Amino acid sequence: MGAHYGGGRPEGARVTTLSTPTARDRRRWARYLVDERAEARVYRELASRRTGEERDILLALAEAEGRHEQHWLDLLGETPPRLPRPGIGTRSLSWMARRFGSIFVLALAQNAEARSPYSDEPYATPAMAADERVHHEVVRGLAARGRRRLSGTFRAAVFGANDGLVSNLALVMGVGATGVAPSFVLFSGVAGLLAGALSMGAGEFVSVRSQRELLEATEESDFADSALPHLDLDANELALVYRTRGMDPDAALDKAREAVTAARAGTAPAAAAPGESAHDVVGSAWGASISSFLFFASGAIIPVLPWILGMTGLGAVILALALVGIALMATGAMVGLLSGASPLKRGLRQLAIGFGAAAVTYVLGLVFGVSAA
């Protein structure tokens, strides 16, 4: 007897007759079932913390996962008495959804939707496989909103921490390789921490403040609004203003006439719907500066910890490398997670960069140490 796709199929989905399902097939369906339930629960959990459009989108995603769940229930005939546990990725999503901000969960969900097995699953409908591809783009769009909100201060924080880790590790490795006393290595590390943190904080403040000033210089101005009632209705330079903003000559003239007519009548034109300001993307100058200072310092203190604890020699070097390696993997994985890329690859990349820089300065320290001797 052939097995057919279950009920609740979207209109237009094909019905395919397959061979009699095996016990392995049924175990796979049960795993899909629990994963769909868990993913729907994640989206509902996130929706409970949102309002407006984002809430509606998340609830719609949960409803779609519910349709997929019903498909596997129809194939199974009933809920099996014993269900497998959801996959580790799905369980992680559920745990994070209850405890952390949605940006991390959405970034993980984006990767999970991209890895959907339904394209190669003979018992899944083409509509289900298409749903998962569309879900990937929907979740990506939601995650992008969170990334934009984090971009300014978060960028400064992550890069500050990474710079502190790499630069101070390279500094203490290079200085330590020359054979100087442990107290001098400690002094060099603390000096590098303070100098780097102050430099990073000042640099971020100037950078973000400059970006905001440039944006302010390019925004629309109300400087000429008071002169609008006195302009000629048919020949006025206000049309030139709109043309500088990208409108074609006819549309610019129509817009200028509308604005002058409204000004003469004492009515203001309808305000544009509020949107995301470019300033929100750039972030606060003080916020970027302070977070950059603090995170550089928090990263830069890690390579110095062994010497602060009184360790010396090879033991201090090994502990410093281990601590910095863990921190580099963590920050790299976080960036990878939030960017929708592989956390492991980003972590390993950060590790290679940090240890590569330390290796270069260590070799130079050895050379200078031998030369000084």
Side-chain angles (χ1 to χ4, degrees), residues 15-35:
V15 179
T16 303
T17 301
L18 300 171
S19 59
T20 302
T22 64
R24 177 179 294 181
D25 289 331
R26 296 183 67 82
R27 287 196 298 270
R28 193 171 64 252
W29 300 345
R31 188 171 66 251
Y32 292 151
L33 171 66
V34 296
D35 282 343

Side-chain angles (χ1 to χ4, degrees), residues 81-325:
R82 294 186 62 183
L83 287 172
R85 298 185 68 190
I88 182 64
T90 306
R91 293 203 305 271
S92 299
L93 278 176
S94 182
W95 184 82
M96 292 181 70
R98 292 191 297 269
R99 292 169 175 81
F100 297 110
S102 62
I103 176 58
F104 294 96
V105 182
L106 289 170
L108 279 173
Q110 175 185 332
N111 289 337
E113 296 286 1
R115 295 191 301 268
S116 170
Y118 290 167
S119 296
D120 301 318
E121 171 54 60
Y123 288 92
T125 67
M128 291 169 65
D131 280 350
E132 297 299 321
R133 288 182 175 272
V134 173
H135 291 177
H136 173 263
E137 291 303 313
V138 173
V139 175
R140 181 181 180 182
L142 291 174
R145 294 184 178 187
R147 291 185 186 111
R148 284 193 292 269
R149 288 192 288 264
L150 281 175
S151 60
T153 302
F154 176 76
R155 175 183 59 84
V158 170
F159 288 128
N162 274 287
D163 285 351
L165 287 164
V166 174
S167 64
N168 234 26
L169 177 66
L171 177 62
V172 297
M173 290 295 104
V175 172
T178 62
V180 298
S183 59
F184 191 79
V185 177
L186 175 59
F187 172 79
S188 300
V190 173
L193 182 158
L194 291 174
L198 289 169
S199 175
M200 286 289 294
E204 280 294 336
F205 181 87
V206 172
S207 173
V208 175
R209 175 59 66 88
S210 298
Q211 290 182 65
R212 293 180 69 89
E213 289 172 350
L214 286 172
L215 289 170
E216 288 172 358
T218 60
E219 289 181 348
E220 297 180 3
S221 167
D222 59 357
F223 178 77
D225 284 3
S226 61
L228 295 184
H230 307 293
L231 291 175
D232 186 283
L233 191 61
D234 296 316
N236 66 74
E237 281 69 27
L238 184 59
L240 301 179
V241 174
Y242 295 125
R243 289 174 65 180
T244 65
R245 297 175 184 172
M247 298 181 69
D248 63 70
D250 291 338
L253 185 57
D254 290 341
K255 180 72 173 177
R257 287 172 176 167
E258 178 184 342
V260 171
T261 301
R264 289 178 177 178
T267 59
E276 184 177 53
S277 169
H279 290 189
D280 297 332
V281 176
V282 173
S284 160
W286 278 111
S289 176
I290 293 171
S291 65
S292 182
F293 176 91
L294 293 176
F295 277 90
F296 184 97
S298 67
I301 195 67
I302 292 176
V304 191
L305 281 176
W307 285 271
I308 292 177
L309 297 174
M311 298 180 65
T312 60
L314 184 61
V317 171
I318 293 175
L319 181 58
L321 288 172
L323 292 174
V324 171

Side-chain angles (χ1 to χ4, degrees), residues 325-343:
I326 293 171
L328 286 172
M329 286 289 292
T331 56
M334 184 179 296
V335 172
L337 176 64
L338 290 176
S339 63
S342 167

